[in-house]
């Protein structure tokens, strides 16, 4: 019996499905003139530039992502597989911490995705040294991020590029949403290899650095662990200059793996044995984090992907469930403000 929600039970998705009149689908009568461009190039995802605009019918401020089109895409009508994958995910996963798709339209043969406008991202927040993040703030943000990851994983998606830049923030509500699904894939085909060159280097899981082509959602869990640690440190935990240097940085802090620690590590495609480094205690690495926070991060950053908790399991960790201080409400995060113009639309 197939599990509900597995790729085998999902409705087939093709350019033809974009012609339906369901919410978020491509509407032939939805012209670009419905949207007044307010600001160009407010950001750029993996596969497209993003503009700020106003929906002239509703007055709502939105973000419009113009999907890049390759030569191969033009040969098959201008709709690329990457854009289709991104739309598929945003239609399939409806969650407050996952960026949704408000509308999709074609203009000049190019797909445009209309999304909720978000004021900033976690990268900009972490770079702003004037904003102080206490543990209750980190807990609130970490919970929202893991909620989004759990929602993706429950529908058999793997994001494959969870970074501070791809966690979008609303200044009005304090909401954090996962965005930029250009690298996302569905899992369930065990004989289908995936590229290990898919995650921004500093957040790339060690199995990917070792060239793994058959991997799972635990690569997202590693990336999330890096981000939670970074919210305490205010700088990336592992800052390598290339794949080999990244492995060195990871093993210097997390310990050099052996078969006892990470079974079958030596069978990975580009496995190289490193000189021995002991695991550095997390109180040394993250002195400002509580022991409960350190315990959560320790699990998320397990070298062996099979030892990392799932996103939903991580949400049940005592750090969230019972440890003091409790998470603040999203609207009480230090960057959030009530009222205002852009997000009120």
């Amino acid at each position: 019996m197939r599990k509900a929600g597995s790729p085998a039970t999902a409705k087939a998705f093709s350019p033809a499905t974009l012609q339906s009149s369901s919410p978020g689908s491509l509407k032939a009568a939805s012209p670009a003139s419905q949207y007044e461009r307010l600001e160009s190039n407010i950001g750029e995802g993996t596969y497209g530039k993003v503009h700020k605009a106003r929906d002239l019918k509703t007055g709502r401020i939105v973000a419009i992502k113009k999907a890049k089109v390759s030569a191969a895409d033009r040969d098959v009508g201008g709709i690329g597989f990457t854009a289709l994958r991104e739309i598929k995910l945003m239609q399939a996963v409806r969650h407050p911490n996952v960026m949704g798709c408000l509308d999709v339209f074609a203009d000049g043969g190019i797909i445009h995705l209309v999304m909720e406008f978000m004021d900033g991202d976690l990268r900009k927040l972490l770079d702003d040294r004037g904003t102080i993040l206490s543990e209750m703030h980190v807990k609130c943000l970490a919970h929202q991020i893991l909620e989004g990851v759990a929602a993706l994983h429950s529908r058999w998606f793997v994001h494959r590029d969870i970074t501070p830049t791809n966690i979008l923030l609303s200044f009005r509500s304090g909401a954090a949403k996962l965005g930029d699904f250009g690298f996302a894939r569905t899992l369930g085909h065990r004989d289908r290899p995936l590229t290990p060159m898919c995650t921004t280097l500093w957040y790339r899981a060690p199995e990917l650095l070792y060239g793994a082509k058959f991997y799972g959602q635990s690569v997202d869990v590693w990336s999330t662990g890096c981000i939670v640690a970074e919210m305490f440190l205010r700088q990336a935990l592992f800052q390598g200059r290339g794949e080999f240097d990244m492995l060195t940085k990871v093993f210097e802090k997390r310990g050099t793996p052996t078969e006892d620690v990470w079974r079958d590590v030596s069978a990975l495609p580009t496995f190289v044995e490193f000189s021995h480094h002991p695991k550095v205690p997390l109180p040394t690495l993250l002195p400002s984090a509580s022991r409960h926070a350190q315990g959560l991060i320790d699990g998320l950053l397990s070298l062996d992907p099979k030892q990392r908790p799932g996103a939903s399991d991580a949400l049940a960790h005592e750090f969230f469930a019972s440890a003091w201080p409790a998470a603040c409400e999203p609207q009480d995060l230090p960057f959030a403000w009530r009222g205002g113009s852009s997000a009120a639309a």
Side-chain angles (χ1 to χ4, degrees):
M1 180 179 295
R2 293 172 178 165
K3 294 182 180 179
S6 68
T9 64
K11 183 183 291 186
F13 191 84
S14 67
T17 65
L18 292 174
Q19 304 297 334
S20 70
S21 58
S22 60
S25 61
L26 180 64
K27 302 173 184 177
S30 177
S33 59
Q34 177 181 333
Y35 301 98
E36 175 191 9
R37 181 174 294 189
L38 301 177
E39 190 176 346
S40 298
N41 297 332
I42 61 173
E44 185 164 359
T46 306
Y47 292 103
K49 293 183 178 180
V50 183
H51 309 291
K52 182 179 179 180
R54 177 183 288 108
D55 185 334
L56 296 177
K57 290 185 177 180
T58 66
R60 181 175 188 173
I61 302 299
V62 298
I64 300 180
K65 183 175 182 177
K66 179 179 179 181
K68 294 178 182 177
V69 181
S70 68
D73 295 336
R74 295 189 189 96
D75 291 341
V76 294
I79 301 177
F81 284 112
T82 299
L84 293 178
R85 289 191 189 105
E86 190 157 13
I87 297 166
K88 175 183 177 180
L89 186 151
M90 287 192 287
Q91 287 183 332
V93 184
R94 307 285 180 149
H95 190 275
N97 301 119
V98 177
M99 180 59 69
C101 189
L102 302 175
D103 189 17
V104 186
F105 65 88
D107 182 41
I110 298 175
I111 293 295
H112 294 69
L113 284 67
V114 182
M115 302 169 289
E116 179 182 352
F117 175 76
M118 303 292 279
D119 305 89
D121 59 53
L122 188 59
R123 172 77 282 138
K124 294 175 183 176
L125 176 66
L126 294 176
D127 288 343
D128 178 8
R129 299 298 176 176
T131 301
I132 305 300
L133 293 178
S134 69
E135 183 147 326
M136 67 174 62
H137 299 143
V138 172
K139 186 176 293 190
C140 176
L141 287 165
H143 193 274
Q144 292 190 70
I145 295 166
L146 281 165
E147 284 278 6
V149 175
L152 290 189
H153 289 183
S154 71
R155 299 305 299 268
W156 299 87
F157 289 100
V158 55
H159 187 286
R160 303 201 308 167
D161 196 23
I162 297 178
T163 68
T165 303
N166 290 337
I167 297 169
L168 307 176
L169 304 176
S170 166
F171 291 173
R172 176 176 61 91
S173 66
K177 295 176 182 278
L178 287 182
D180 196 351
F181 307 110
F183 276 124
R185 297 291 184 273
T186 53
L187 297 177
H189 306 284
R190 295 184 178 179
D191 58 342
R192 184 184 68 181
L194 298 171
T195 178
M197 304 293 290
C198 59
T199 307
T200 302
L201 189 62
W202 289 357
Y203 308 91
R204 193 177 301 172
E207 63 268 31
L208 299 178
L209 295 169
Y210 266 144
K213 296 180 180 179
F214 298 92
Y215 53 84
Q217 295 168 328
S218 56
V219 300
D220 288 346
V221 174
W222 174 275
S223 301
T224 303
C226 292
I227 291 170
V228 178
E230 187 169 346
M231 285 193 282
F232 283 105
L233 284 174
R234 301 303 288 265
Q235 63 180 3
L237 183 59
F238 310 114
Q239 300 185 32
R241 296 184 296 274
E243 292 182 8
F244 187 86
D245 191 44
M246 270 299 299
L247 284 168
T248 301
K249 295 292 193 295
V250 168
F251 297 157
E252 284 176 348
K253 291 182 172 68
R254 301 300 291 157
T256 306
T258 64
E259 288 286 342
D260 292 334
V261 173
W262 181 356
R263 186 177 178 182
D264 298 328
V265 61
S266 59
L268 290 172
T270 59
F271 173 77
V272 176
E273 190 171 353
F274 282 72
S275 57
H276 176 71
H277 289 282
K279 183 178 178 180
V280 179
L282 276 184
T284 301
L285 294 177
L286 302 171
S288 66
S290 69
R291 64 179 181 87
H292 300 289
Q294 292 166 2
L296 172 69
I297 294 167
D298 189 46
L300 299 177
L301 295 181
S302 297
L303 291 178
D304 184 348
K306 297 183 290 297
Q307 300 301 316
R308 295 173 208 149
S312 58
D313 293 328
L315 286 165
H317 190 276
E318 60 183 349
F319 175 65
F320 298 112
S322 59
W324 185 90
C328 72
E329 294 297 323
Q331 63 267 25
D332 293 326
L333 286 163
F335 60 84
W337 51 273
R338 294 171 178 81
S341 56
S342 64

